[in-house]
Amino acid sequence: MKKKPKIEILRHSLSHVLASAVYEMFPEAKFGMGPAIENGFYYDFNLPRTLIPEDLEILEEKMRRIIAANLKFERADITFMEAEKDFKKAKQPYKVELIKDIKKENSKIKTVTVYRTGNFVDLCSGPHLESTGEINPASFKLTKISGAYWKGNEKNKMLQRIYGVAFESPKELRQYLAMMQEAEKRDHKKLGRELDLFSFHEESQGSAFWHPKGMAVWNEIENFGKGLRKKYGFLEIQTPILAKDSLWKISGHWDHYKDSMFHFETEKETYCLKPMDCPFNIKIYQTKLRSYRDLPIRYTEIGRIMRNEKSGELNGLFRARYLTQDDSHIFCLPEQVEKEISVLLKMIKEYYPTFGIEPKFFLSTRPDDFMGKRSEWDLAEKNLANALKVEKIKYKEKEKDGAFYGPKIDIDIKDALGRNWQLATIQLDFQMPQRFKLEYIDKGGQKRIPVMIHAAIFGSFERFIGILTEHYRGSFPLWLSPVQVEIIPVSEKFGKYSTEVQQKLSAENIRVTMKDAGESLGKRIREAQQEKVNYMLIVGEKEMKAKTVAVRDRDKGNLGTMKFEKFLEKIRKEIEDKK
Ligand SMILES: [Zn+2]
Ligand SMILES: [Zn+2]
């Protein structure tokens, strides 16, 4: 078993301290589970009343007293019978259930481990800190209360979950809390509403509704991605959204992924909404007998897929049921793998910096339960590593983290808040070509199996636009911006000239709107600023006569008056340079 990192032990130990504080406050509390999680910990309780935010302060205070008392985490191994008796007597039904679960899972185990901190005894295998005094009382905070079903199953009772965050030092905690506060301001669901980009509706949970302004962002990203793929020799295809279960049985999705697929019956057949595009791309490959001379074949598809995510786990654009992937599949000869990976890496290197995002690369290697031959894997891993070297890309290795059907390169990004996101994956696949009996004819006239490479650059439009919205805090760069220019006439007298300017910009495919002179000038400028329009053009008497515009930049403020033609040239160039 892997040794747990110290921070994880600290976080888990704090969950015991929290449970201990809850026990003090509610002696009749029933205890669920309390693991360490990313950035902190939680504990689930069944309590005599619903918690209110003020309770968190009281509990934190109690926790600090427990820490100050420097209580030991005392371990004891007791028999199942003893444990069951003790927890029954203490009226802890969830712990009794867990004891039975342990016994069911492994009948050979004779004892269970319990830990005591002060008066509180918990069923837990550890590890924990030596004593509560090791915790810095200023480096944790209880953050929220939510409902959580016992064991995550909606058929079970709803418990109350208390979340906390914890770090090794108070400084890290302060930084984390500041980051979270900033993240809340940047929440894409909130910005999406305010900027009129997209919305979500109860009738179609997990699927975004894209408004005209959101589509402007979407289309720019789509065109940019399509342009890059064209440059690197990809051919665009489009495939259906449904297929019979027979296809998913061959691909393996029916056996391994059925719970995440939407399926239904019609004309006595079972159909599934596609959760991935791969089998459909394969069908196109199979429409012809392919020769080694035809390879590589590089397909790209804007793939519209559906995954049956639990409604409770949906999270705006970050976790959706309806996804649109920027998908690619390459079919190639084994000796072409390295070059094809190089092509994909080149594309990725060209892609992300356009958004001011630095990609980080990871090579995931053979897991223990790998499929195929060891020699195939060794070669494939070498191909991936070589391609990374050829492209002069620094990378880290994630040992044994490859999928069972092939090694992969993962690409993570860090957004403006320092959060990491895994976006792109370049996945080598030995399995699908075999399952679908893919072939090509080699030089000697023999039938061989091609290699398949799956690659998405940013994953899904939904998630990527969600990330970008938060990364930019809604202030999209000019080329992506839903409204690039807003014309603000000083008064109605200049309506005609304003319309003329608007039409000229519009004819150049610049996204431009005009604010009528109904409201005061100051108010209209403030509104345009809130709408995060990149340029405001203010036109009055002087501007109309001289055929100029007074330019106001969203970020830099007034840029002064310039000839309209000069502004047009400036904005054209900036859009072209993807500024
Ligand atoms: Zn524990
Ligand atoms: Zn695929």
Side-chain angles (χ1 to χ4, degrees):
M1 218 165 64
K2 261 198 229 163
K3 206 170 153 244
K4 285 210 172 131
K6 191 168 169 255
I7 184 71
E8 224 173 275
I9 296 173
L10 170 82
R11 286 172 179 152
H12 172 66
S13 300
L14 267 161
S15 84
H16 280 252
V17 175
L18 166 63
S20 189
V22 166
Y23 183 49
E24 241 183 82
M25 198 162 157
F26 303 101
E28 61 278 64
K30 312 272 181 269
F31 297 88
M33 283 188 258
I37 53 171
E38 199 187 352
N39 301 314
F41 57 92
Y42 71 74
Y43 210 116
D44 290 342
F45 308 97
N46 183 1
L47 301 174
R49 69 164 169 83
T50 304
L51 293 168
I52 52 169
E54 287 75 10
D55 290 325
L56 296 185
E57 283 161 42
I58 300 167
L59 285 169
E60 270 182 17
E61 212 25 64
K62 287 187 186 298
M63 287 171 75
R64 293 209 168 88
R65 276 208 295 273
I66 294 166
I67 290 167
N70 196 15
L71 303 174
K72 282 215 164 345
F73 285 91
E74 287 172 89
R75 181 191 166 124
D77 293 297
I78 57 174
T79 64
F80 274 103
M81 269 215 331
E82 230 178 310
E84 213 176 320
K85 203 184 82 200
D86 286 357
F87 282 106
K88 254 186 198 157
K89 200 172 138 205
K91 298 202 173 81
Q92 293 300 332
Y94 304 110
K95 298 293 173 188
V96 172
E97 192 180 324
L98 290 174
I99 292 166
K100 285 180 180 154
D101 289 347
I102 298 170
K103 211 153 74 183
K104 234 187 272 169
E105 247 172 57
N106 190 345
S107 56
K108 285 189 193 121
I109 295 182
K110 294 271 181 295
T111 60
V112 291
T113 312
V114 295
Y115 276 89
R116 172 187 290 278
T117 15
N119 293 325
F120 177 69
V121 181
D122 205 350
L123 174 78
C124 186
S125 58
H128 305 97
L129 301 171
E130 285 292 309
S131 68
T132 59
E134 287 174 52
I135 301 166
N136 184 328
S139 70
F140 81 93
K141 186 171 171 47
L142 298 181
T143 48
K144 65 173 180 186
I145 307 155
S146 79
Y149 294 107
W150 167 237
K151 289 180 171 171
N153 185 341
E154 57 255 61
K155 287 186 192 120
N156 290 339
K157 193 175 166 57
M158 172 85 85
L159 305 177
Q160 297 192 69
R161 175 172 295 178
I162 300 176
Y163 283 98
V165 291
F167 295 87
E168 278 179 40
S169 69
K171 189 177 163 215
E172 282 169 278
L173 175 69
R174 274 199 305 275
Q175 281 169 347
Y176 176 78
L177 292 175
M179 193 267 276
M180 288 312 285
Q181 213 177 11
E182 182 60 32
E184 217 167 283
K185 280 189 222 148
R186 290 174 185 243
D187 182 358
H188 71 275
K189 299 185 284 295
K190 180 172 152 268
L191 286 170
R193 246 187 337 266
E194 287 170 8
L195 299 173
D196 196 17
L197 302 174
F198 46 80
S199 54
F200 288 91
H201 301 271
E202 176 59 28
E203 295 87 342
S204 184
Q205 285 183 59
S207 308
F209 289 61
W210 292 88
H211 299 199
K213 285 181 179 172
M215 277 315 288
V217 180
W218 179 299
N219 284 332
E220 288 298 343
I221 291 171
E222 183 170 325
N223 290 338
F224 175 49
K226 279 186 176 173
L228 262 188
R229 284 187 165 84
K230 203 169 162 193
K231 178 175 161 186
Y232 288 102
F234 284 79
L235 305 169
E236 191 176 1
I237 56 169
Q238 187 167 291
T239 64
I241 56 163
L242 319 164
K244 286 182 190 168
D245 56 353
S246 52
L247 183 82
W248 306 108
K249 280 174 185 161
I250 299 174
S251 71
H253 288 94
W254 187 260
D255 287 337
H256 300 291
Y257 206 71
K258 196 176 159 197
D259 291 344
S260 304
M261 287 161 75
F262 287 104
H263 43 88
F264 60 93
E265 310 240 322
T266 187
E267 294 178 348
K268 292 185 185 143
E269 302 258 26
T270 301
Y271 282 83
C272 307
L273 288 168
K274 71 172 166 186
M276 286 177 201
D277 306 304
C278 337
F280 290 74
N281 284 225
I282 284 174
K283 290 310 262 186
I284 295 184
Y285 178 91
Q286 286 178 313
T287 54
K288 273 190 205 166
L289 181 62
R290 311 284 178 177
S291 139
Y292 70 95
R293 277 186 241 101
D294 302 326
L295 303 185
I297 291 174
R298 305 183 185 121
Y299 288 144
T300 176
E301 169 168 25
I302 304 287
R304 291 162 213 286
I305 61 170
M306 291 222 62
R307 292 180 182 169
N308 193 0
E309 301 276 1
K310 288 206 177 86
S311 55
E313 283 167 14
L314 298 170
N315 177 16
L317 296 174
F318 289 164
R319 189 120 184 214
R321 283 179 174 161
Y322 182 68
L323 298 169
T324 313
Q325 288 185 317
D326 66 324
D327 219 351
S328 300
H329 291 97
I330 300 173
F331 301 92
C332 66
L333 310 173
E335 59 266 34
Q336 290 171 332
V337 167
E338 194 174 312
K339 165 128 188 293
E340 291 311 301
I341 301 294
S342 263
V343 166
L344 290 165
L345 290 173
K346 272 196 183 72
M347 242 163 61
I348 286 165
K349 275 200 298 185
E350 200 170 329
Y351 192 85
Y352 285 116
T354 312
F355 298 92
I357 291 170
E358 194 65 46
K360 275 197 270 176
F361 296 79
F362 299 89
L363 173 60
S364 298
T365 58
R366 184 173 60 218
D368 291 329
D369 62 340
F370 69 97
M371 182 211 154
K373 293 193 202 102
R374 204 172 275 268
S375 58
E376 266 176 5
W377 272 86
D378 288 343
L379 181 63
E381 282 173 12
K382 216 173 91 191
N383 287 154
L384 295 186
N386 274 345
L388 284 160
K389 257 174 231 136
V390 168
E391 293 306 318
K392 298 191 175 65
I393 290 170
K394 277 195 206 130
Y395 67 94
K396 281 192 187 135
E397 205 164 291
K398 286 190 195 164
E399 216 184 313
K400 295 185 179 188
D401 206 36
F404 71 94
Y405 50 87
K408 60 176 178 165
I409 296 173
D410 287 329
I411 293 101
D412 289 6
I413 59 139
K414 213 184 230 297
D415 70 9
L417 283 178
R419 294 174 299 184
N420 283 314
W421 301 91
Q422 199 209 310
L423 290 185
T425 304
I426 299 174
Q427 172 77 60
L428 230 64
D429 190 344
F430 304 132
Q431 194 203 28
M432 282 258 203
Q434 283 188 29
R435 282 181 167 262
F436 280 92
K437 301 193 167 54
L438 290 190
E439 298 171 342
Y440 69 93
I441 306 296
D442 75 1
K443 264 185 190 145
Q446 297 287 318
K447 281 183 181 169
R448 304 254 178 229
I449 304 173
V451 177
M452 186 174 181
I453 304 169
H454 311 253
I457 297 191
F458 56 72
S460 78
F461 281 82
E462 285 77 4
R463 190 156 162 269
F464 190 54
I465 294 177
I467 292 168
L468 287 182
T469 305
E470 298 195 2
H471 176 68
Y472 294 130
R473 205 175 171 173
S475 294
F476 290 96
L478 182 68
W479 74 281
L480 277 180
S481 195
V483 183
Q484 295 167 316
V485 178
E486 182 148 300
I487 301 162
I488 307 178
V490 174
S491 81
E492 272 165 40
K493 275 193 290 180
F494 316 110
K496 192 163 160 269
Y497 176 57
S498 299
T499 308
E500 208 179 292
V501 168
Q502 186 186 15
Q503 282 167 349
K504 278 186 184 158
L505 288 168
S506 203
E508 298 280 336
N509 281 324
I510 289 163
R511 292 183 286 275
V512 53
T513 56
M514 186 160 79
K515 266 222 193 319
D516 287 336
E519 301 279 359
S520 79
L521 189 60
K523 188 165 182 230
R524 283 179 289 154
I525 292 175
R526 266 197 312 281
E527 271 175 18
Q529 193 75 33
Q530 274 162 12
E531 287 159 18
K532 305 186 195 288
V533 173
N534 302 69
Y535 288 113
M536 289 152 248
L537 301 183
I538 295 137
V539 292
E541 185 83 46
K542 209 172 72 195
E543 286 77 18
M544 187 173 73
K545 281 197 175 132
K547 299 284 172 204
T548 58
V549 285
V551 184
R552 195 185 158 85
D553 180 301
R554 177 186 67 193
D555 307 310
K556 295 179 197 143
N558 278 332
L559 298 185
T561 303
M562 60 179 84
K563 282 277 180 205
F564 172 72
E565 296 303 328
K566 200 180 152 210
F567 172 73
L568 184 60
E569 198 184 309
K570 169 184 158 69
I571 192 171
R572 249 200 233 134
K573 171 121 184 34
E574 284 171 8
I575 291 172
E576 201 181 293
D577 294 345
K578 301 221 168 355
K579 285 276 162 60

